[in-house]
Amino acid sequence: MRHILSVLIENEAGALSRVTGLFSARGYNIDSLTVQTTEDPTLSRMTIVTHGSDDVIEQITKQLNKLIEVVKVIDLNEADHIERELMLIKVRAAGRDRDEMKRMADIFRGRIIDVTEKTYTIELTGTGEKLDAFIKGLDPTAILETVRTGASGIARGERILKI
Amino acid sequence: MEHLSGAEIVTRCLREEDVEFVFGYPGGAVLEIYDAIFRQTNFKHVLVRHEQAAVHAADAYSRSSNKVGVALVTSGPGATNAITGIATAYMDSIPLVVISGQVPSGAIGLDAFQEVDMVGCSRPIVKHNFLVKDVRDLAATFKKAFYIAASGRPGPVVIDIPKDVTIAKCAYEYPETINIRSYNPPTKGHPGQIKKAAQLLAEAKRPFIYVGGGAVQGGASAQVTELVRMLNVPCTNTLMGLGALDGTDPNFVGMLGMHGTYEANLAMQYCDVLIAIGARFDDRVISVPNQFLSNPKKIVHIDVDPSSIAKRVKVDVPIVGDVKHVLTDLVAVLKETGAKPNADALANWWKQIDEWRKPNSLLYTPSTEVIKPQHVIETLWKVTNGEAIVTSDVGQHQMWAAQYYKFRRPKQWINSGGLGTMGFGLPAAMGAQLANPDAQVACVTGEGSIQMNIQELSTCKQYHTPVKVLSLNNRYLGMVRQWQEFFYGTRYSESYMDALPDFVKIAEAYGHVGFKVENPADVEPVLREAFGPGLKERLVFIDFRTDPSENVFPMIQNGRGLNQMDLPEHMRGLQQTPFENNRDYGNLC
Ligand SMILES: Cc1cc2nc3c(=O)[nH]c(=O)nc-3n(C[C@H](O)[C@H](O)[C@H](O)COP(=O)(O)OP(=O)(O)OC[C@H]3O[C@@H](n4cnc5c(N)ncnc54)[C@H](O)[C@@H]3O)c2cc1C
Ligand SMILES: Cc1ncc(C[n+]2csc(CCOP(=O)(O)OP(=O)(O)O)c2C)c(N)n1
Ligand SMILES: [Mg+2]
């Protein structure tokens, strides 16, 4: 099953490589990983999307907690949560495609953030599925370039990951 | 406050941590540190002949004492030579601080001379590691490193120090305490879980206690013994747990696992309540989890590392905590409630265990023609009154040492279990002897393994470590040969050691005493001489020419269950189920 893990980790050099090293050394999957410092500059927060049986997810959580620099790990799947991913996509937008592209972006609540005579660059946020759906909806030959961040996640309501 | 150079800070930190010996080897990146070592008298430096040996010696120093071992190596090849030693300590959860030199900060990343990314290389085999970029962080890093290495589940910690940091100066003060907010190893176990464990024990008909290296590392031998005696339950030790319960204790059923005894393996398979204490259900112990669980049992698992629990086997009562604390509480609960297993059921279980013991799975055929390796170990036990510290290398000789030397106390048996590192034994014996100058230290090795770190005979000479090396020379990489005999149709591919050296001459060339023993009748007299007062101060190397065709039994083949052992000749064909006349087990067969 797919799981989203949120990890609070000391904002120190090398901490990220400990996490990625752990996943590769133990044969765990990383579907995506995002990381940035938090409002507290001594801490970073990662969102790791992974998949595996319950036993594997339990081991992943334990092994992450075992890393000295990891402060806290939660499995967002244990309760309601929200996830978002950002995509920047550059598409061909010349001739009659131009209006169609604009319409597609609007339907998906995307924003056109860069325009040239022949291209649009569209910014789109949402769940991974929504971004997938957008890509699927386009003529593949119109897509020039995509870049996606991977999911960031947060629990709903009172459940908070903090120290 | 004093102003010191980074190198001086290193030596001062080691003094603060009461370090007695640093095992190391110099080189460009650590010359400042070596200069500071020259100018201090608080600890002794032991100059090994290969960095791998420095780490093994520091490791065994720790295994045979209650202290953290310390090794010091230079950058590049010094650091990579240390890797096998670090991995060995990591797999067996041994607390070490390994200091490695690094090229100057400004040269990092430029493929500088003798540059290697030590933090990267060692990452998967350390509990933690540090690259110290600022001399002002050095003292706190040492404090953290020693704390992390020794607390919780112990393990090696690497401190990588660029040369410029050893030269730079700063105000020095050693922190008295350290707080790492992201690291809080557990101590006491959950009282509710401990109560549940007590209750399970009280309901047990066939209770069994399985004790591992965690009880040795955690200093919980007294608590283990108390629990076993109090409940009168049979108990086994893993290879790493040997000595946690006295090997001569009537409740001890021997080691379990791939080369465990018949009774230990069958008790493990057919028990109904299992208490696992600081043991990690290793594949060389329980083999295949499904097979192991095919006879239902309730499992209590006590471990300080949550990731050891439910890793290979699901358990019913996980208890995360330090084994000494948890066992103390468990014993208290049992005393308070008077809970204990049903006396009749327990008596029946013991009857069964005694039946399993009867054929003696460690029986071997003695010989007056050729030296049987088991006989050497039994004689070693006799000659040393079972009191020696025994280190070993890896192979058949290791298993025979584990099976036939009945270890009386924890920290008496020192071997590489998790990584199985050939070349461990001799440097380990040296480290153990330095930690225990008055003890008799024996290194049980093979003619293959000894040659992986034989250069340490030179270090032993320099530092007067009078260890006794017992080489069970079967002219084969015996353990490999045994597998080839069993599984590869006796095709002995590259397991024969041709062109063996004259070990007696080697010993003598290094300034030691060497004996060659070919006649079984000479085993005891030679051992008595080696351990006798005349050679007390000397390293003695004994080249025992042992039976090349001897195999280690019992043995569990890969993929087989604990009740599917290959048994020694005299037990072939014996049932590996509870005996039929014991009606309680009928439904288990
Ligand atoms: C040739 C060869 C053959 C082998 N055959 C066998 C065999 O037949 N039988 C056998 O048993 N082994 C055998 N081994 C060894 C095997 O590979 C493992 O190393 C060993 O079984 C592991 O022992 P352990 O379970 O006691 O765990 P260890 O590796 O000693 O781990 C200790 C456990 O205790 C925990 N712990 C540490 N400190 C504490 C504390 N203070 N409180 C609580 N928990 C703590 C740790 O977290 C860890 O989970 C063999 C090895 C070799 C090289
Ligand atoms: C460094 C290393 N290389 C290879 C092995 C694989 N191995 C395990 S036992 C063994 C044979 C050891 O031979 P010897 O030291 O003569 O001991 P014996 O089994 O004959 O008693 C080998 C090669 C190992 N454990 N370690
Ligand atoms: Mg051999």
Side-chain angles (χ1 to χ4, degrees):
Chain A
M1 204 183 118
R2 179 178 182 270
H3 282 252
I4 308 187
L5 305 177
S6 278
V7 183
L8 270 189
I9 187 166
E10 296 288 352
N11 182 18
E12 276 168 19
L16 174 62
S17 61
R18 285 186 214 282
V19 172
T20 53
L22 169 69
F23 274 75
S24 63
R26 293 190 183 265
Y28 305 143
N29 306 293
I30 299 186
D31 297 332
S32 73
L33 186 157
T34 67
V35 57
Q36 188 40 293
T37 47
T38 63
E39 75 283 5
D40 172 351
T42 66
L43 288 172
S44 293
R45 176 158 172 164
M46 288 180 187
T47 305
I48 303 172
V49 180
T50 179
H51 62 270
S53 65
D54 288 352
D55 294 352
V56 169
I57 301 296
E58 182 183 332
Q59 266 299 312
I60 293 178
T61 316
K62 286 173 168 178
Q63 293 291 347
L64 281 170
N65 269 310
K66 204 166 139 177
L67 295 177
I68 304 292
E69 285 152 341
V70 167
V71 181
K72 246 183 190 173
V73 180
I74 59 169
D75 182 348
L76 289 178
N77 289 54
E78 279 169 4
D80 282 348
H81 63 277
I82 301 162
E83 60 172 288
R84 287 290 179 272
E85 180 173 353
L86 169 69
M87 172 167 71
L88 303 178
I89 177 164
K90 193 176 287 180
V91 293
R92 203 183 305 283
R96 52 193 171 73
D97 286 346
R98 207 164 170 87
D99 284 349
E100 176 58 19
M101 278 300 170
K102 172 81 173 76
R103 223 177 359 257
M104 273 295 279
D106 288 344
I107 293 170
F108 280 82
R109 304 223 182 113
R111 294 198 303 138
I112 298 175
I113 54 172
D114 187 49
V115 178
T116 68
E117 238 169 71
K118 290 185 183 151
T119 68
Y120 281 155
T121 300
I122 302 165
E123 169 197 316
L124 196 63
T125 54
T127 62
E129 288 102 75
K130 175 180 159 182
L131 305 189
D132 290 343
F134 183 74
I135 291 174
K136 257 202 188 140
L138 296 180
D139 168 9
T141 60
I143 301 173
L144 300 173
E145 193 180 348
T146 62
V147 51
R148 295 171 64 157
T149 57
S152 288
I154 197 162
R156 278 188 189 275
E158 304 294 311
R159 195 168 175 231
I160 283 160
L161 174 60
K162 229 182 164 164
I163 51 170
Chain B
M1 223 184 279
E2 290 172 281
H3 256 70
L4 300 178
S5 74
E8 287 162 340
I9 290 174
V10 169
T11 59
R12 290 288 289 272
C13 292
L14 296 177
R15 170 172 130 188
E16 293 290 346
E17 293 292 339
D18 288 326
V19 171
E20 201 185 0
F21 291 102
V22 171
F23 300 87
Y25 208 88
V30 286
L31 282 177
E32 292 289 328
I33 299 176
Y34 272 90
D35 192 53
I37 288 175
F38 191 84
R39 292 183 276 112
Q40 61 85 47
T41 53
N42 295 298
F43 57 83
K44 291 192 201 72
H45 181 272
V46 177
L47 178 68
V48 294
R49 305 303 190 250
H50 187 296
E51 288 88 349
Q52 181 189 344
V55 185
H56 289 330
D59 169 321
Y61 175 86
S62 172
R63 291 189 205 226
S64 63
S65 67
N66 289 313
K67 297 174 79 171
V68 176
V70 180
L72 168 60
V73 298
T74 191
S75 70
T80 53
N81 270 352
I83 288 288
T84 301
I86 296 170
T88 302
Y90 179 72
M91 290 298 280
D92 291 341
S93 307
I94 306 303
L96 293 186
V97 169
V98 178
I99 305 161
S100 55
Q102 184 53 277
V103 301
S105 312
I108 291 180
L110 302 180
D111 299 322
F113 176 64
Q114 296 195 328
E115 177 183 0
V116 76
D117 171 14
M118 183 56 171
V119 166
C121 285
S122 63
R123 188 182 301 119
I125 48 163
V126 291
K127 183 168 174 187
H128 198 56
N129 58 19
F130 297 93
L131 171 63
V132 184
K133 289 183 180 150
D134 186 330
V135 67
R136 285 167 299 182
D137 296 334
L138 202 49
T141 302
F142 269 85
K143 184 79 188 177
K144 282 185 197 166
F146 276 88
Y147 169 58
I148 291 172
S151 54
R153 179 177 185 166
V157 176
V158 165
I159 307 177
D160 198 34
I161 313 177
K163 185 161 186 184
D164 54 313
V165 173
T166 65
I167 298 169
K169 289 192 167 182
C170 76
Y172 166 76
E173 190 177 23
Y174 200 64
E176 260 172 38
T177 57
I178 201 92
N179 172 34
I180 306 174
R181 65 177 169 182
S182 58
Y183 175 67
N184 300 293
T187 47
K188 281 179 104 61
H190 191 282
Q193 296 293 88
I194 293 173
K195 282 213 182 85
K196 273 192 210 160
Q199 192 158 3
L200 270 184
L201 271 171
E203 291 162 6
K205 287 187 172 152
R206 300 182 303 279
F208 194 47
I209 297 181
Y210 148 58
V211 181
V216 173
Q217 285 299 311
S221 170
Q223 287 74 14
V224 166
T225 310
E226 185 175 8
L227 182 71
V228 168
R229 296 254 171 83
M230 197 173 125
L231 300 175
N232 187 26
V233 170
C235 175
T236 184
N237 290 340
T238 67
L239 182 72
M240 302 315 294
L242 291 175
L245 181 69
D246 186 337
T248 62
D249 192 288
N251 287 41
F252 185 60
V253 295
M255 181 174 84
L256 84 170
M258 179 177 269
H259 294 298
T261 64
Y262 183 65
E263 53 270 34
N265 285 337
L266 293 185
M268 186 76 171
Q269 183 67 23
Y270 296 112
C271 65
D272 70 344
V273 171
L274 178 69
I275 314 285
I277 302 174
R280 55 188 175 82
F281 293 92
D282 186 78
D283 49 300
R284 291 228 152 169
V285 171
I286 59 156
S287 206
V288 195
N290 286 342
Q291 275 276 358
F292 167 60
L293 295 173
S294 65
N295 295 106
K297 45 184 80 71
K298 297 270 186 229
I299 303 178
V300 177
H301 191 179
I302 303 167
D303 204 294
V304 76
D305 176 0
S307 79
S308 276
I309 298 178
K311 183 165 65 182
R312 300 193 73 233
V313 167
K314 277 224 160 64
V315 301
D316 300 277
V317 184
I319 306 178
V320 176
D322 171 61
V323 48
K324 197 172 189 170
H325 283 90
V326 174
L327 287 184
T328 306
D329 291 350
L330 177 61
V331 165
V333 170
L334 288 166
K335 276 187 182 152
E336 204 180 284
T337 59
K340 59 164 101 130
N342 174 286
D344 287 346
L346 191 60
N348 227 359
W349 178 228
W350 270 114
K351 213 168 117 196
Q352 173 67 78
I353 302 264
D354 288 336
E355 291 275 350
W356 284 332
R357 273 176 165 168
K358 233 183 253 162
N360 186 6
S361 60
L362 296 183
L363 207 64
Y364 62 94
T365 320
S367 165
T368 49
E369 306 284 303
V370 56
I371 298 176
K372 291 288 177 178
Q374 301 94 327
H375 171 64
V376 177
I377 306 295
E378 284 181 336
T379 313
L380 173 68
W381 192 87
K382 201 163 105 187
V383 167
T384 57
N385 290 320
E387 293 291 343
I389 293 176
V390 179
T391 73
S392 91
D393 266 300
V394 174
Q396 292 182 314
H397 61 272
Q398 175 189 23
M399 293 300 110
W400 287 316
Q403 290 175 329
Y404 293 90
Y405 201 98
K406 310 290 175 200
F407 296 94
R408 292 179 190 272
R409 43 191 166 78
K411 303 212 148 203
Q412 199 188 346
W413 164 239
I414 293 169
N415 82 136
S416 165
L419 197 67
T421 310
M422 289 171 68
F424 177 79
L426 180 59
M430 192 170 79
Q433 184 79 79
L434 288 168
N436 302 271
D438 300 325
Q440 291 183 324
V441 178
C443 165
V444 175
T445 183
E447 81 297 334
S449 295
I450 190 68
Q451 294 188 80
M452 286 216 181
N453 265 323
I454 199 161
Q455 76 289 344
E456 297 310 313
L457 286 174
S458 176
T459 315
C460 289
K461 181 71 186 169
Q462 185 172 349
Y463 298 93
H464 311 292
T465 51
V467 306
K468 314 300 174 207
V469 180
L470 283 67
S471 180
L472 305 185
N473 182 350
N474 50 10
R475 280 82 73 210
Y476 274 109
L477 302 176
M479 186 57 93
V480 172
R481 190 204 55 73
Q482 177 168 347
W483 283 53
Q484 290 171 335
E485 178 183 336
F486 289 15
F487 315 127
Y488 296 93
T490 67
R491 290 182 298 281
Y492 296 143
S493 176
E494 308 297 325
S495 55
Y496 177 68
M497 273 276 175
D498 213 351
L500 282 174
D502 181 334
F503 288 105
V504 172
K505 279 193 184 149
I506 286 192
E508 286 169 359
Y510 278 110
H512 303 302
V513 179
F515 296 126
K516 178 168 154 182
V517 186
E518 288 173 295
N519 186 341
D522 294 336
V523 170
E524 182 164 345
V526 169
L527 279 172
R528 291 220 178 269
E529 186 180 352
F531 284 95
L535 293 173
K536 192 166 187 296
E537 304 299 328
R538 304 297 300 273
L539 185 150
V540 183
F541 190 113
I542 315 172
D543 181 18
F544 290 101
R545 296 302 169 100
T546 58
D547 185 349
S549 61
E550 194 65 32
N551 288 321
V552 183
F553 286 112
M555 170 165 186
I556 299 174
Q557 301 191 11
N558 279 342
R560 298 228 176 132
L562 287 161
N563 51 354
Q564 297 173 310
M565 290 169 263
D566 285 3
L567 293 168
E569 195 94 35
H570 72 284
M571 289 173 73
R572 299 258 157 93
L574 206 63
Q575 272 194 39
Q576 302 193 24
T577 51
F579 286 85
E580 279 163 277
N581 59 0
N582 237 321
R583 54 194 154 65
D584 273 7
Y585 308 94
N587 59 345
L588 283 173
C589 304

